[in-house]
Amino acid sequence: MSEETKSLNFIEHIIEEDLRNGLEKEALRFRFPPEPNGYLHIGHTKAIGISFGLGEKYQAPVNLRFDDTNPAKEEQEYVDAIKRDIAWLGYQWANELYSSDYFQQLYDWAVALIKEGKAYVDSQSSEAMAEQKGTPTQPGVDGPYRNRSIEENLDLFQRMKAGEFPEGSHVLRAKIDMQHPNMLMRDPLMYRILKKSHHRTGNDWCIYPMYDWTHGESDYMEQISHSLCSLEFKPHRELYDWFKEQVYKYQPEALPMLPKQREFARLNLSYTIMSKRKLLKLVEQGVVSGWDDPRMPTISGLRRRGYTPDSIRQFIDKVGVAKRDNVIDVSLLEFCIREDLNKTAPRVMAVLDPVKLVITNYPEGQEEWLEAENNQEDESAGFRKVPFSRELYIEKDDFKEEASSKFFRLKLGGEVRLKNAYIIKAEGVVKDADGNVTEIHATYSEDTEKKVKGTLHWVSIKHAIKAEVREYDRLFLDEAPDSHADKDFMEFINPESLKIIDAFVEPSLLEAKVGERFQFQRLGYFNVDDDSTSEKLVFNKTVGLRDTWAKQAPKNNENQPAKKQNQQSNRPAIEQIKSYGKKYDRMKDDERVKAKSEIQELAQNVSYSDVEPLFGTSAKKVGTRIITMITLGVLLNNGLERNSEINDFIAKALDDKNDLLVAEAKAL
């Protein structure tokens, strides 16, 4: 077996087998069939990626077909949003189609099935039909209308179409087998009366086809070769095949291809709701501002929050194509956007929780414009000028009157470097009546070559631009908010999912355009929100520089003996970090993301003196070198100043052959 064959997923194996068995490559055709009853969410991106990805791989057409058979829930707004989202992800469809295009053909085929005695009109209540259908362990029983004459069925069905009957009075059912082991084969519904205006056909129809009847026949009419859907449709495959086999005889020459349905595991994400019905509830009840609220898992919401198409496509690639349902940690999605934005986002300075810093020996009224690198990951990004003056804002958390040696930021008597500027020393503070520090007084030194351990970001007060920052967190506090039988998913809403912050940013951001993405140095990645104007800048927090949920999320240690847990927690943080090094480079993507988050959390309790001895780790121990790089990243983010040893360690990693190590080094 070749390396290429080994790398194929199971769907590609099916297609390759079909091609070997005589299917012409030119006959390959795929489709993505959303129902326009809501916005697409992150779960749909897997189905989109699979179908359009196969189209790209085999240079085969992919149809975008809207399964619009329920006018009570479907709207043109959703059609437009779906098209916009798929195009934004970078995919192109061959044909834009609608199941409503086929309403007449579906009706004609239904009449043909009635004439063959394979469909009938049932006039019972839905409750009576459900009772007769039986259970998975108990066969169904025939209803009183199952053996109506063909003439009566034709007459009733035509009158249903003509609008003579009220909703719920009649349905059309396929006549298959009420004792069939698969309950979906027990005379499934084909049509119901629904007197609602359709977004495309208006009031032309008052009977609408059911999904199972519409979906497979639409695939057949479009001559789809492989109908790909998620695992919940696997029991439907038998009915899918039955319907297509019934209509095949009507046009075998014009429509020779019988589609093949195959199922893959759907994408489930932790801390996330994937039901469009439940997402609509969030919108309707005002929990979020709309379908594109940046807390929503919709593609529109992710786009507004600052996610990129490449990050989502990379995420789908990492998730892969599986046959079994599983839950993917949302940290993997956040990891992908961090990786992407690290390469592309310009670095700027912003202060979200300011405290005033006065440099007492800097001349009053003087200002300088200092050179700052835009992105060390992109040589073509160039430099910009940032203004410096006597009075600055820094983050409140970046100053303590007294602190331990593990605190690499500013403390009384201590020195730090101001990013792109001078080294300062804290000399004193001014406090309010409650004892809160309102001003820090410091002196600066023009000796910028001096070695110090910390580096802080800052903004000149004189030049600072006020901006609104919307700091988003996960919308739900529970890992599986809709999995509790005794609780409503709304009970797990995170009340702190949105914080509005009045921040100060450097003046270069006055030119920022809606949608542009930036790294606020040492804080995270942010983008310009749709609400932003020339008078008021509004930024959304896309993601932090590291996973802050690692500390909050309870670890599942139920299977570990209590003694072992205590031993682990009592071990020094650096020793716990080192234990990851033995297998870090051999972990699966989702395992690695979780391990990285745990390392980053442990690194909060590590000093530079703990990490520096690991710089000389043997090249063979690449896992240890990677976890050292991750730990170092946290220390640098917390203000640790780079020195020659750090620069040498990073430089050697950049020349390494291990992609994981190189990626972590590039991130620094």
Side-chain angles (χ1 to χ4, degrees):
M1 187 179 288
S2 69
E3 286 300 313
E4 182 180 357
T5 305
K6 286 181 182 178
S7 66
L8 298 178
N9 62 52
F10 80 93
I11 292 175
E12 291 168 335
H13 274 294
I14 291 170
I15 294 171
E16 292 291 335
E17 183 69 21
D18 290 341
L19 292 173
R20 285 194 293 270
N21 290 336
L23 177 66
E24 296 291 333
K25 188 175 180 182
E26 292 72 24
L28 287 175
R29 186 179 294 272
F30 308 100
R31 87 288 177 267
F32 174 63
E35 183 181 356
N37 62 350
Y39 280 51
L40 295 180
H41 55 62
I42 186 66
H44 293 112
T45 59
K46 183 174 182 179
I48 294 170
I50 289 173
S51 292
F52 283 95
L54 289 170
E56 292 174 354
K57 177 181 175 70
Y58 292 102
Q59 296 184 316
V62 183
N63 289 343
L64 172 59
R65 183 181 73 238
F66 293 94
D67 278 344
D68 55 344
T69 62
N70 187 356
K73 295 183 178 180
E74 296 158 358
E75 299 177 17
Q76 186 62 39
E77 174 194 351
Y78 299 142
V79 171
D80 296 339
I82 289 168
K83 290 162 59 177
R84 183 170 59 248
D85 289 345
I86 295 173
W88 177 75
L89 285 171
Y91 296 113
Q92 293 183 332
W93 51 90
N95 303 288
E96 180 183 326
L97 302 168
Y98 297 81
S99 292
S100 53
D101 296 339
Y102 312 130
F103 279 176
Q104 186 61 51
Q105 180 64 83
L106 290 167
Y107 175 80
D108 292 343
W109 280 344
V111 169
L113 289 180
I114 292 173
K115 290 178 178 178
E116 288 186 49
K118 293 181 178 178
Y120 66 97
V121 174
D122 198 335
S123 306
Q124 300 179 91
S125 68
S126 57
E127 293 79 12
M129 285 186 279
E131 187 175 344
Q132 290 158 9
K133 204 166 185 178
T135 68
T137 58
Q138 181 181 356
V141 296
D142 293 355
Y145 300 107
R146 194 171 193 271
N147 294 314
R148 267 176 167 155
S149 68
I150 290 173
E151 292 73 21
E152 186 180 4
N153 284 320
L154 285 172
D155 175 65
L156 287 169
F157 190 49
Q158 290 165 355
R159 291 167 66 192
M160 285 169 61
K161 179 179 181 294
E164 292 186 23
F165 304 116
E167 293 184 5
S169 57
H170 302 287
V171 294
L172 183 71
R173 300 177 70 175
K175 194 173 184 179
I176 305 179
D177 182 359
M178 288 299 290
Q179 286 79 46
H180 200 285
N182 183 347
M183 290 188 66
L184 293 171
M185 299 293 284
R186 296 179 188 176
D187 292 8
L189 270 61
M190 294 175 64
Y191 278 89
R192 78 284 205 199
I193 300 170
L194 197 57
K195 295 187 176 180
K196 301 281 193 301
S197 179
H198 190 277
H199 72 104
R200 295 187 75 247
T201 62
N203 295 312
D204 292 350
W205 295 85
C206 62
I207 57 169
Y208 289 93
M210 302 299 291
Y211 178 85
D212 279 322
W213 167 239
T214 311
H215 181 73
E217 308 330 288
S218 298
D219 285 346
Y220 176 54
M221 281 184 268
E222 293 172 22
Q223 289 291 275
I224 300 301
S225 61
H226 296 81
S227 174
L228 308 173
C229 50
S230 49
L231 278 178
E232 65 262 35
F233 290 101
K234 189 168 185 177
H236 294 247
R237 191 201 294 184
E238 194 170 8
L239 180 57
Y240 180 96
D241 291 342
W242 189 89
F243 275 138
K244 73 182 181 186
E245 288 160 5
Q246 301 310 310
V247 301
Y248 176 72
K249 57 182 173 292
Y250 301 139
Q251 295 172 266
E253 294 180 0
L255 301 171
M257 172 78 73
L258 283 175
K260 176 182 288 188
Q261 176 179 307
R262 290 297 180 266
E263 307 82 16
F264 56 85
R266 66 184 297 174
L267 174 58
N268 298 300
L269 207 59
S270 64
Y271 298 98
T272 308
I273 292 290
M274 295 294 195
S275 161
K276 282 190 281 188
R277 176 179 59 82
K278 292 176 180 177
L279 293 176
L280 178 60
K281 185 176 180 181
L282 294 173
V283 174
E284 290 178 336
Q285 295 195 8
V287 175
V288 294
S289 61
W291 285 96
D292 68 342
D293 187 296
R295 291 166 291 179
M296 290 281 272
T298 55
I299 297 174
S300 294
L302 291 168
R303 177 171 60 245
R304 186 171 178 182
R305 185 157 176 171
Y307 276 75
T308 63
D310 284 348
S311 68
I312 294 176
R313 290 179 69 151
Q314 179 69 12
F315 170 67
I316 295 305
D317 185 59
K318 287 181 178 294
V319 169
V321 182
K323 293 183 180 181
R324 295 182 180 178
D325 279 332
N326 60 345
V327 178
I328 304 299
D329 196 319
V330 70
S331 298
L332 182 59
L333 176 62
E334 295 165 347
F335 169 81
C336 290
I337 186 61
R338 282 192 195 95
E339 292 288 290
D340 192 32
L341 292 181
N342 179 59
K343 302 170 191 170
T344 59
R347 276 54 168 167
V348 295
M349 292 193 289
V351 176
L352 305 191
D353 187 17
V355 63
K356 187 175 182 179
L357 172 72
V358 180
I359 305 175
T360 56
N361 63 335
Y362 192 87
E364 290 190 40
Q366 180 173 309
E367 62 182 60
E368 297 176 77
W369 288 78
L370 307 174
E371 194 170 72
E373 190 176 20
N374 287 329
N375 187 346
Q376 64 269 30
E377 292 297 309
D378 181 3
E379 292 181 3
S380 66
F383 295 82
R384 70 190 186 284
K385 294 290 187 178
V386 292
F388 184 86
S389 62
R390 175 185 171 93
E391 296 184 349
L392 311 174
Y393 285 131
I394 65 170
E395 299 285 350
K396 283 182 182 176
D397 285 347
D398 280 344
F399 174 76
K400 289 183 179 180
E401 291 184 75
E402 296 181 9
S404 70
S405 60
K406 296 178 183 178
F407 186 76
F408 301 113
R409 290 164 277 178
L410 188 61
K411 56 188 174 184
L412 282 180
E415 291 183 307
V416 296
R417 186 185 305 277
L418 295 176
K419 183 74 176 175
N420 307 308
Y422 300 105
I423 292 171
I424 61 168
K425 180 179 181 179
E427 307 283 4
V429 296
V430 176
K431 297 183 179 181
D432 62 18
D434 296 322
N436 300 309
V437 174
T438 58
E439 260 182 44
I440 304 162
H441 288 182
T443 54
Y444 87 107
S445 167
E446 293 186 350
D447 179 8
T448 56
E449 301 302 315
K450 188 188 301 186
K451 288 188 176 182
V452 293
K453 285 190 175 181
T455 302
L456 306 184
H457 64 277
W458 50 273
V459 174
S460 167
I461 294 178
K462 178 181 177 181
H463 305 88
I465 306 300
K466 287 194 72 172
E468 177 181 304
V469 170
R470 298 172 182 175
E471 194 169 67
Y472 293 102
D473 205 343
R474 295 179 187 172
L475 187 55
F476 295 99
L477 295 170
D478 190 82
E479 191 169 359
D482 57 351
S483 66
H484 303 269
D486 58 336
K487 292 184 179 180
D488 185 83
F489 76 99
M490 300 284 278
E491 295 182 36
F492 300 102
I493 295 288
N494 179 6
E496 302 294 322
S497 64
L498 170 60
K499 294 180 181 177
I500 306 295
I501 298 170
D502 290 326
F504 294 95
V505 301
E506 65 174 70
S508 69
L509 288 170
L510 269 177
E511 305 298 319
K513 302 292 189 296
V514 168
E516 287 186 327
R517 306 171 182 91
F518 302 89
Q519 184 196 96
F520 289 1
Q521 289 184 306
R522 300 179 60 236
L523 299 175
Y525 295 98
F526 297 75
N527 79 312
V528 185
D529 185 69
D530 296 355
D531 292 339
S532 194
T533 66
S534 56
E535 289 76 34
K536 181 181 179 182
L537 280 171
V538 180
F539 291 92
N540 297 323
K541 183 175 183 178
T542 305
V543 69
L545 294 179
R546 62 185 182 86
D547 184 3
T548 57
W549 274 72
K551 183 176 181 179
Q552 300 176 41
K555 302 293 187 295
N556 184 11
N557 293 324
E558 293 176 3
N559 297 325
Q560 297 184 16
K563 183 177 180 181
K564 186 175 181 179
Q565 290 182 45
N566 291 334
Q567 289 174 347
Q568 178 78 356
S569 61
N570 289 333
R571 290 172 63 199
I574 190 63
E575 294 301 320
Q576 295 183 53
I577 289 172
K578 285 160 66 175
S579 69
Y580 287 94
K582 298 176 182 177
K583 55 182 180 179
Y584 186 88
D585 55 317
R586 299 190 299 276
M587 291 178 177
K588 295 179 180 178
D589 284 333
D590 54 343
E591 293 174 339
R592 193 181 302 120
V593 169
K594 183 178 180 182
K596 182 175 179 178
S597 296
E598 292 169 353
I599 292 168
Q600 289 173 325
E601 190 55 45
L602 287 165
Q604 298 297 322
N605 298 309
V606 167
S607 67
Y608 176 68
S609 60
D610 293 328
V611 178
E612 197 270 337
L614 298 176
F615 290 175
T617 300
S618 164
K620 295 180 181 179
K621 297 181 179 180
V622 68
T624 299
R625 296 169 71 206
I626 295 170
I627 59 97
T628 303
M629 195 69 68
I630 293 169
T631 306
L632 179 61
V634 173
L635 300 188
L636 291 171
N637 185 54
N638 285 345
L640 175 66
E641 173 80 359
R642 289 173 182 256
N643 56 31
S644 57
E645 289 80 12
I646 292 173
N647 290 333
D648 288 346
F649 177 60
I650 295 173
K652 288 178 182 177
L654 290 171
D655 291 335
D656 200 88
K657 295 179 180 179
N658 186 280
D659 291 340
L660 291 172
L661 178 59
V662 172
E664 293 296 345
K666 282 184 175 181
L668 305 187

